[in-house]
Amino acid sequence: MPFILKPQETSAFNYTAYIGPKEYDRLNALGLGGAIEFGWFAMLAKPSLVVLNFFERFLKNYGLAIIVLTVIIKIIFYPLTKYGLNSMKQIQNVQPQMNALREKYKNDKEKMNKELFELYKRYKVNPLGGCLPMLVQIPVFIALYEALMVAIELRHAPFVWWLGDLSAKDPYYITPILMGVTMFIQQKMTPTTMDPMQEKMMLVMPIIMTVVFLNFPSGLVVYWLVNNILSIA
């Protein structure tokens, strides 16, 4: 804060300093909510953390609060999820005809695209229907990820048995392994339009995600695990 003093002149300034944990509710009450960096989707991450703190006050357990928040988000997105799965199922039903058209007009892309469009129109199939719901949900997933990553409230917050700190990794890697197993089950249950070779290659994804999540904060892994279980259900 630049200022100019004349000879023999003095000036005094008063400051208010906050020295303490970055608890969002506390900082927000002081008008310092912006001190926490929530990433690109802050407008979604902030409400998620507020709701998480709200449930913790009643449940006295951040692990249970994460589960309740995950269930609520899953309910909100249920219509979109159902629409996406139905679209994928419809595409799977016409897959043999699509493959036949691709083989028949493999040397004439324009004709092939025209025939495929007519096929979609005839069976009222939206080829992007399975992807759009997921694209809409991605910002919410990222926002939740950011909220759980920066939440100091999770530091040393216990959940159950071996999970004594939701901000630290699972010491026995139980939740990441369970997450990988549920991801594999979910993948096998989801309708797909991929050929058998691509489908086999995609089976590597649960293994990759398990390895990635091994050292993630256990609170994040719990969120993803519960999300997978609800998707299977």
Side-chain angles (χ1 to χ4, degrees), residues 163-228:
L163 293 179
D165 184 354
L166 287 168
S167 69
K169 69 178 184 179
D170 185 330
Y172 302 110
Y173 304 112
I174 295 170
T175 47
I177 291 169
L178 286 175
M179 189 216 70
V181 171
T182 55
M183 190 174 178
F184 175 78
I185 295 169
Q186 184 185 350
Q187 200 173 66
K188 295 298 287 183
M189 290 174 64
T190 305
T192 179
T193 58
M194 292 183 287
D195 60 53
M197 183 57 70
Q198 288 176 316
E199 199 171 343
K200 285 179 182 176
M201 287 174 65
M202 284 301 292
L203 292 177
V204 181
M205 280 303 295
I207 299 171
I208 293 172
M209 290 295 286
T210 301
V211 173
V212 169
F213 273 71
L214 284 178
N215 293 310
F216 270 28
S218 53
L220 274 173
V221 184
V222 167
Y223 159 70
W224 207 267
L225 172 61
V226 173
N227 185 68
N228 286 353

